[in-house]
Amino acid sequence: MSSERLIYLALGGAGEIGMNTYVYGWGAPGKERLILADVGVTFPDMDSSPGVDIIFADIEWLAERADRIEGIFITHAHEDHVGAVGHLWDRLKAPVYARAFTGHHARRKIEEYGHDPETVNIVAPWPEQIEVGPFKVGFAPISHSIPESSALIIDTPGGRIVHTGDFKLDATPIVGEPFDEAFWADIGKGGVHALVCDSTNVFSPKPGRSEATVGPEIVKLVENAPGMVVATTFASNVARVKTLAEAGEAAGRSICLLGRAMRRMIEASVLTGVVTDFPKTISPEEAEDIPRQNLMLLVTGSQGERRAASAALSRGKYLGLELAEGDTFLFSSKTIPGNEKGVIRVMNALSEKGVDVVDDGTDIYHVSGHANRPDLDRMHKLIDPKMVVPMHGEHRHLREHAKLAETNGAASVVAVNGSMVDLTGDAPKIVEYIEAGRTYLDGSVQIGALDGIVRNRLRMAMNGHVIVSVIMEDDELVGEPWVDLMGLPETGSSNAPLQDVLEEDLSQLIGRASRTTRADDDDLEDDIRKAVRKSADDEIGKKPEVTVVISRLA
Amino acid sequence: MSSERLIYLALGGAGEIGMNTYVYGWGAPGKERLILADVGVTFPDMDSSPGVDIIFADIEWLAERADRIEGIFITHAHEDHVGAVGHLWDRLKAPVYARAFTGHHARRKIEEYGHDPETVNIVAPWPEQIEVGPFKVGFAPISHSIPESSALIIDTPGGRIVHTGDFKLDATPIVGEPFDEAFWADIGKGGVHALVCDSTNVFSPKPGRSEATVGPEIVKLVENAPGMVVATTFASNVARVKTLAEAGEAAGRSICLLGRAMRRMIEASVLTGVVTDFPKTISPEEAEDIPRQNLMLLVTGSQGERRAASAALSRGKYLGLELAEGDTFLFSSKTIPGNEKGVIRVMNALSEKGVDVVDDGTDIYHVSGHANRPDLDRMHKLIDPKMVVPMHGEHRHLREHAKLAETNGAASVVAVNGSMVDLTGDAPKIVEYIEAGRTYLDGSVQIGALDGIVRNRLRMAMNGHVIVSVIMEDDELVGEPWVDLMGLPETGSSNAPLQDVLEEDLSQLIGRASRTTRADDDDLEDDIRKAVRKSADDEIGKKPEVTVVISRLA
């Protein structure tokens, strides 16, 4: 037995917020049986991944060990935890386990890729445990901002691991099970070897507030609003959507859901029994006939997404509905870093329509779904583990959380994606670094983040693109070089068309080139590229990307 | 006289934060004599302006009326107010007026473009007034976050205008003149026709805090820091830089300035007499020999800019200096929306080095340079103008500020860039809309934001770029079509190289095309483009940009 070990390896989610993908293993080194906790996505941006559709962990390491994977356990239905299960299942082919609401979403994703949705097993909450290989895994209900969030209680020959998933301490969460201190103390009673723990809000100094504190404020706002009220939040925050709908209902307003994700989430909640008493909603067609002071819309797009309902309403008529002077638009949400400009764009477009925007700046219409620093502290003390492994955070969050754990007398470690941690002893120890990168879904193709494809897109975006076509016959230029420009100004310092200047320069260059150069595609291409970059730099102060096509007539 | 009018026209800065460029005019409609208040820049981003160097207002309207411009008045030396004076002066050729510190920067910018720096006239503060055409303009000292910020007092035949520039109410601003209520009440005494007023912080509900409140907190932080202390802030916030330096000095540390902007600003402050008692600084070479607990670096890069000193220090050794476990890094600054990801990148890189990062989240190490809502309210009451024209804000700020003005009994208007406002009567009235766009400095060329050049860059970045080269002779294909890919995956669903698939498809397409199509460049190009987009969509799920080069042999 002493040669067996318990390992933890983040492939995503540690050193970033998003893309959660965690591996646990038990066995002889290199022969561990493995389970996966979550397999999520993260989102592309123009700065680093233009044109990319979605991003997930590079699971090459796992795929090479697919025969050792006992199961995939999904803690909750947020995209950064379940989003990649459809894209990656083909390479893992292990059974998936989740509670009903989460499983509902996982099944749809698996099905979209043409796999059998029944590979997703719906599991009852703790005390039920799934036995897979050397592991017994149970789903312990824990409060967060989506229904049926669960921590994983993973019993191993090396001791018990509590993998929190995302969580907060909320005794009145509106939807789902309240956080239950006695329950968690009980989970810790027999001794917990490792607490692997959400770090998102470790820098928030005050205890987190309950979801229940939001409702009364929203009721006041809706009651006092003179015109139509529109509210946006994450569609998956079913408790919030319900709170908003109930506030609208209390104020005598009809409720209309706009946006596919919003309707889908509420449907899934009702279907899986998570929510039984959601207020009656009306269709957009029905909403058109309701006086605006009697109407409340609940819409997608809290992050300013261009295609979501919020942005559509800010631009003009959407599904027959249009905002006007005196209406109120509530962002019952937090803006995720990087989305500020999109959110501000929507706010200003609403302002142009005379709509009063109420945002989360005041911190009364939104609460976070993650445990703040005092809450993390409380969780450490309830569970009283031998060690704390911080996850779900950027490096700065993990580091701060590890410090907090050590203050509480637990061993800890800062382990980012790719750091394999041996949890077997009294303290976690990084024993190996494996390559842990990102995979981009680009159209229908999965490409590596470092394949150079996206780098070339960024270069074209920064520098523009010049295409040169020359035809050679017997190592002599046929006609003139042809130049096309893409993403570049038409004229530069000489006031002649840039295209003409480049063609003329290349004509001279090739005329002057030695026969050896003219005979060699690589040499000729190299000279042409350099000449284009130099001439462009002189003319327009930029060195563009250059593609050279040399055709040789037989 | 009744046919003359007083006009206000923002070409930049109204409906956005940045690019401040405001025009005032007096005269018969269409013949007004004009002055310009500020001529600033705004900054590009990957989402909308990749590859662009800097952005300023499209001044076409002004340039066409250059003979009517009496002068350009610069309120202060922030880039969003003075940054475009070098780039655009050539098209305006009007004398520039500024106080010494601001003028110092304006002269350098004018000189960089090869113009005479003496076109910038250094003006003493109020009560001095410059008489240009029908205007008398004075620079009234007002507190902000850069030395010698000034409001413009513009006396016109239509009454007095107070153009605030950027300001806050700070009675103890550390550097420069304190905000003086009696002075401003006096300015208002004879009656102010229009207050054209900063709107940036209209959504901040509490009165602003003085620059002087920051010092004591920083002193405590620096005194208690065990290792090296590094602090970053805007270089132009000379008061803050001085506060930081003094805190370091008080804690017995040697002070070293890193980053060109930081050194330049302090030099300019000393040179123009704005600061006379800046603590002694040492060079990076000298700093290398100082024990780290006795050293404090003041560095550029508070916005996470990749090339600034902060980012360089987060990555590794910079000018011989390197951070280590136990050092402290202070962001004495606010992150501007859109810069979050860059700042977070620097913070995490510092965390990896074991450096403790203190950011502005706690709001004790930074104060804003703009008047908050109660401060705006106070300013309205001090000046008691007939009308308030909100400027320096996004649409939502202008709208909220206009509401506040109306509450205070002043007429108001929401006038975004391009809305010409007639200020002559009792209430401001929009009388005309002129085209007010953006000009991009791209390398060394000025291009219009809507010229399509940057749009093509964004398209290449999103979709990739396929280059097709075909050679035709007597309307028959010579050899095979040649395909190059840029920014696209090499293989798609058929597992054959995408290049081969496209070449094969095009070969067949051209083979099947009618002779009429083969003879017509436009038709042939069109068919090729469509075929490439269709085949690529089938293979990789993306429709790329396509450049087609057809060469015809004589």
Side-chain angles (χ1 to χ4, degrees):
Chain A
M1 271 299 271
S2 70
S3 70
E4 299 190 299
R5 64 178 186 177
L6 181 63
I7 59 168
Y8 159 89
L9 168 65
L11 294 175
E16 66 189 329
I17 293 183
M19 209 174 87
N20 296 281
T21 311
Y22 307 93
V23 183
Y24 293 95
W26 172 264
K31 295 191 173 152
E32 296 90 352
R33 301 303 298 175
L34 307 171
I35 57 170
L36 202 54
D38 291 336
V39 50
V41 298
T42 191
F43 298 93
D45 59 35
M46 279 301 289
D47 285 285
S48 61
S49 44
V52 169
D53 292 278
I54 201 80
I55 301 172
F56 29 82
D58 175 358
I59 56 154
E60 186 59 27
W61 185 90
L62 256 189
E64 284 170 4
R65 292 157 180 82
D67 58 319
R68 285 160 47 191
I69 306 173
E70 302 282 357
I72 302 168
F73 296 81
I74 312 285
T75 59
H76 64 286
H78 277 150
E79 287 296 311
D80 58 331
H81 293 259
V82 71
V85 73
H87 304 302
L88 295 178
W89 188 82
D90 199 32
R91 297 174 64 197
L92 303 172
K93 292 208 171 68
V96 178
Y97 301 92
R99 289 177 68 195
F101 180 81
T102 310
H104 175 89
H105 293 280
R107 282 184 169 172
R108 186 167 46 73
K109 287 168 191 295
I110 296 262
E111 212 164 7
E112 274 169 12
Y113 267 80
H115 307 305
D116 182 5
E118 296 300 315
T119 193
V120 179
N121 301 278
I122 305 300
V123 183
W126 186 267
E128 178 166 328
Q129 284 184 295
I130 314 297
E131 203 167 334
V132 290
F135 303 99
K136 274 195 202 165
V137 184
F139 289 78
I142 198 162
S143 41
H144 182 44
S145 51
I146 191 169
E148 293 193 347
S149 267
S150 303
L152 302 177
I153 313 294
I154 308 171
D155 286 328
T156 81
R160 173 169 284 187
I161 295 168
V162 175
H163 177 99
T164 64
D166 296 2
F167 78 104
K168 66 182 292 190
L169 312 189
D170 195 336
T172 49
I174 305 292
V175 167
E177 300 91 343
F179 186 83
D180 178 349
E181 294 223 343
F183 171 83
W184 287 102
D186 198 54
I187 289 288
K189 207 170 272 169
V192 167
H193 187 71
L195 174 67
V196 182
C197 191
D198 182 359
S199 309
T200 315
N201 281 2
V202 67
F203 287 111
S204 301
K206 294 181 196 158
R209 284 160 49 221
S210 168
E211 184 64 32
T213 62
V214 174
E217 297 294 338
I218 293 176
V219 169
K220 266 188 268 175
L221 181 78
V222 177
E223 275 175 351
N224 294 322
M228 200 193 300
V229 175
V230 187
T232 183
T233 189
F234 278 110
S236 58
N237 193 337
V238 174
R240 184 69 49 77
V241 177
K242 185 160 177 267
T243 296
L244 289 164
E246 286 171 351
E249 198 176 44
R253 291 172 183 261
S254 300
I255 307 299
C256 175
L257 305 180
L258 291 186
R260 196 173 56 145
M262 192 61 85
R263 289 195 314 275
R264 213 182 228 179
M265 274 290 167
I266 300 308
E267 277 163 24
S269 306
V270 171
L271 205 67
T272 57
V274 165
V275 168
T276 49
D277 52 351
F278 195 87
K280 180 179 171 301
T281 61
I282 59 171
S283 71
E285 295 74 37
E286 291 169 305
E288 278 185 68
D289 299 328
I290 307 262
R292 53 200 322 113
Q293 70 274 15
N294 297 336
L295 186 60
M296 178 157 173
L297 312 180
L298 305 183
V299 307
T300 53
S302 67
Q303 299 303 307
E305 303 93 326
R306 277 178 195 272
R307 289 164 167 200
S310 288
L313 283 168
S314 79
R315 288 189 297 258
K317 212 168 196 170
Y318 179 63
L319 298 176
L321 298 165
E322 187 159 19
L323 300 188
E325 179 90 33
D327 291 344
T328 300
F329 195 107
L330 170 64
F331 282 85
S332 180
S333 54
K334 175 183 168 275
T335 303
I336 293 173
N339 295 341
E340 289 79 4
K341 285 198 171 186
V343 171
I344 287 173
R345 190 184 307 117
V346 170
M347 287 182 175
N348 282 310
L350 290 168
S351 177
E352 286 177 34
K353 289 182 164 292
V355 174
D356 291 312
V357 176
V358 180
D359 72 0
D360 69 329
T362 45
D363 244 1
I364 55 174
Y365 302 112
H366 176 68
V367 294
S368 170
H370 296 272
N372 288 355
R373 189 186 183 90
D375 310 324
L376 293 171
D377 190 66
R378 182 83 197 113
M379 192 67 173
H380 292 184
K381 284 166 181 157
L382 276 173
I383 301 282
D384 191 24
K386 190 180 281 183
M387 58 186 75
V388 173
V389 180
M391 65 167 174
H392 205 283
E394 298 162 11
H395 191 282
R396 60 194 175 119
H397 301 108
L398 305 184
R399 181 163 171 267
E400 187 72 13
H401 195 174
K403 282 192 199 175
L404 177 66
E406 281 159 12
T407 313
N408 284 332
S412 194
V413 67
V414 175
V416 295
N417 296 341
S419 310
M420 187 190 288
V421 182
D422 186 341
L423 303 174
T424 322
D426 286 330
K429 213 169 70 185
I430 295 175
V431 288
E432 196 181 334
Y433 293 94
I434 71 127
E435 220 171 299
R438 292 177 160 209
T439 298
Y440 293 158
L441 180 70
D442 188 57
S444 52
V445 181
Q446 294 187 11
I447 60 179
L450 303 178
D451 286 359
I453 294 164
V454 168
R455 190 192 55 214
N456 281 343
R457 282 187 210 158
L458 287 167
R459 284 184 177 166
M460 290 190 288
M462 292 300 289
N463 309 323
H465 194 187
V466 171
I467 296 99
V468 178
S469 175
V470 297
I471 302 176
M472 306 293 289
E473 185 166 26
D474 297 335
D475 302 338
E476 298 290 340
L477 184 63
V478 178
E480 298 293 324
W482 179 266
V483 167
D484 269 294
L485 308 175
M486 184 85 155
L488 289 164
E490 283 173 22
T491 51
S493 55
S494 69
N495 284 319
L498 178 58
Q499 189 180 11
D500 295 355
V501 173
L502 294 176
E503 287 176 354
E504 176 61 30
D505 288 354
L506 291 178
S507 206
Q508 289 186 21
L509 173 89
I510 299 170
R512 282 194 314 263
S514 67
R515 174 162 283 268
T516 351
T517 298
R518 293 202 307 267
D520 184 298
D521 279 0
D522 289 344
D523 286 358
L524 188 57
E525 188 177 325
D526 214 43
D527 283 6
I528 289 173
R529 176 172 290 111
K530 278 184 198 147
V532 167
R533 289 168 64 86
K534 163 115 188 31
S535 296
D537 197 19
D538 291 346
E539 282 288 312
I540 59 168
K542 283 181 96 82
K543 292 180 177 172
E545 301 306 299
V546 185
T547 293
V548 182
V549 182
I550 301 171
S551 309
R552 291 188 186 270
L553 300 178
Chain B
M1 267 303 269
S2 69
S3 70
E4 299 192 298
R5 63 178 187 177
L6 180 63
I7 59 168
Y8 159 89
L9 168 65
L11 294 173
E16 66 189 329
I17 292 182
M19 209 173 87
N20 296 280
T21 310
Y22 306 93
V23 183
Y24 293 95
W26 172 262
K31 295 190 175 156
E32 296 90 353
R33 302 304 298 175
L34 308 170
I35 58 170
L36 202 54
D38 291 337
V39 51
V41 298
T42 192
F43 298 93
D45 59 36
M46 279 302 288
D47 286 283
S48 61
S49 45
V52 168
D53 293 279
I54 201 80
I55 301 171
F56 29 82
D58 174 358
I59 56 152
E60 186 59 27
W61 185 91
L62 257 189
E64 284 169 4
R65 292 157 180 80
D67 58 320
R68 285 160 47 190
I69 307 174
E70 302 283 358
I72 301 168
F73 296 82
I74 312 284
T75 60
H76 65 286
H78 277 149
E79 287 296 310
D80 58 333
H81 293 258
V82 71
V85 73
H87 305 302
L88 295 179
W89 188 80
D90 200 30
R91 298 174 64 199
L92 303 172
K93 292 209 170 68
V96 178
Y97 302 91
R99 291 176 67 194
F101 180 82
T102 310
H104 175 89
H105 293 279
R107 281 184 170 171
R108 186 167 45 74
K109 288 169 191 294
I110 296 263
E111 210 163 11
E112 275 169 12
Y113 267 79
H115 306 305
D116 181 6
E118 296 300 315
T119 194
V120 179
N121 302 279
I122 305 300
V123 183
W126 187 266
E128 178 164 328
Q129 284 183 296
I130 313 299
E131 202 167 336
V132 291
F135 304 99
K136 273 193 200 168
V137 185
F139 289 79
I142 198 162
S143 41
H144 183 43
S145 51
I146 190 168
E148 293 193 348
S149 267
S150 303
L152 302 176
I153 313 293
I154 308 171
D155 285 327
T156 80
R160 173 170 283 188
I161 295 169
V162 176
H163 177 99
T164 65
D166 296 3
F167 78 104
K168 66 182 294 190
L169 312 189
D170 195 336
T172 50
I174 307 292
V175 167
E177 300 91 344
F179 185 83
D180 179 348
E181 295 223 343
F183 171 82
W184 287 102
D186 198 53
I187 290 286
K189 209 170 272 170
V192 167
H193 187 70
L195 174 67
V196 181
C197 190
D198 183 358
S199 310
T200 315
N201 281 2
V202 67
F203 289 111
S204 300
K206 294 181 195 157
R209 285 160 48 223
S210 168
E211 183 64 31
T213 64
V214 174
E217 297 294 336
I218 293 175
V219 169
K220 268 188 267 173
L221 181 77
V222 177
E223 274 175 351
N224 294 323
M228 199 192 303
V229 175
V230 187
T232 184
T233 189
F234 278 110
S236 57
N237 193 338
V238 174
R240 185 71 48 78
V241 177
K242 185 161 177 266
T243 297
L244 289 164
E246 286 171 352
E249 197 176 46
R253 292 172 182 261
S254 300
I255 307 300
C256 175
L257 305 180
L258 292 185
R260 197 174 53 145
M262 191 64 85
R263 289 195 313 278
R264 215 183 228 179
M265 275 290 169
I266 300 307
E267 278 162 23
S269 306
V270 171
L271 205 65
T272 58
V274 166
V275 167
T276 48
D277 51 350
F278 195 87
K280 180 181 172 300
T281 62
I282 59 171
S283 71
E285 297 72 40
E286 291 168 304
E288 280 186 66
D289 300 328
I290 307 264
R292 52 199 324 111
Q293 70 276 15
N294 297 336
L295 186 59
M296 179 159 175
L297 312 180
L298 305 183
V299 308
T300 53
S302 67
Q303 299 303 307
E305 303 93 326
R306 277 178 196 271
R307 291 167 166 194
S310 288
L313 283 168
S314 79
R315 288 188 299 257
K317 212 169 195 169
Y318 179 63
L319 298 177
L321 299 164
E322 186 160 19
L323 300 188
E325 179 90 33
D327 290 344
T328 300
F329 195 108
L330 170 64
F331 282 84
S332 180
S333 53
K334 175 182 169 276
T335 303
I336 292 173
N339 295 342
E340 289 80 2
K341 285 198 169 182
V343 170
I344 287 173
R345 190 185 305 118
V346 171
M347 287 183 175
N348 282 310
L350 291 167
S351 177
E352 286 177 35
K353 289 182 163 294
V355 174
D356 291 312
V357 175
V358 180
D359 71 1
D360 68 331
T362 44
D363 243 1
I364 56 177
Y365 302 112
H366 176 67
V367 294
S368 170
H370 296 273
N372 290 355
R373 188 185 183 88
D375 310 324
L376 293 171
D377 191 64
R378 182 84 198 113
M379 192 66 173
H380 292 184
K381 284 164 180 157
L382 276 172
I383 301 283
D384 191 24
K386 189 180 283 180
M387 58 185 75
V388 173
V389 180
M391 66 165 176
H392 205 284
E394 299 161 10
H395 192 282
R396 59 194 175 120
H397 301 106
L398 305 185
R399 183 163 170 267
E400 186 71 12
H401 195 175
K403 282 192 200 173
L404 177 65
E406 281 159 11
T407 313
N408 284 331
S412 195
V413 67
V414 176
V416 296
N417 296 342
S419 311
M420 187 191 288
V421 182
D422 186 341
L423 303 174
T424 320
D426 286 332
K429 213 169 71 184
I430 296 177
V431 288
E432 195 182 334
Y433 292 96
I434 72 128
E435 222 172 297
R438 294 177 158 209
T439 298
Y440 294 158
L441 180 70
D442 188 57
S444 53
V445 181
Q446 294 187 11
I447 60 179
L450 303 177
D451 286 1
I453 294 164
V454 169
R455 189 192 56 213
N456 281 342
R457 281 187 211 157
L458 288 167
R459 284 184 177 164
M460 289 190 289
M462 293 300 289
N463 309 324
H465 194 186
V466 171
I467 296 98
V468 178
S469 176
V470 297
I471 302 175
M472 305 294 288
E473 186 167 27
D474 297 333
D475 302 338
E476 298 290 340
L477 185 62
V478 179
E480 298 292 324
W482 178 265
V483 167
D484 269 295
L485 308 174
M486 184 85 155
L488 290 164
E490 283 174 21
T491 51
S493 55
S494 69
N495 284 320
L498 178 58
Q499 191 180 8
D500 295 356
V501 172
L502 293 177
E503 287 175 355
E504 175 62 30
D505 288 353
L506 290 179
S507 205
Q508 288 185 21
L509 173 89
I510 298 170
R512 280 195 314 265
S514 67
R515 175 163 280 269
T516 351
T517 299
R518 294 202 307 267
D520 184 300
D521 280 0
D522 288 344
D523 285 358
L524 188 57
E525 188 177 324
D526 213 41
D527 282 4
I528 289 174
R529 178 173 290 113
K530 278 183 198 147
V532 167
R533 288 168 66 86
K534 163 115 189 31
S535 296
D537 197 19
D538 291 346
E539 282 288 312
I540 60 168
K542 282 182 97 82
K543 291 180 176 171
E545 300 306 300
V546 185
T547 293
V548 182
V549 183
I550 300 171
S551 309
R552 294 190 184 268
L553 300 178

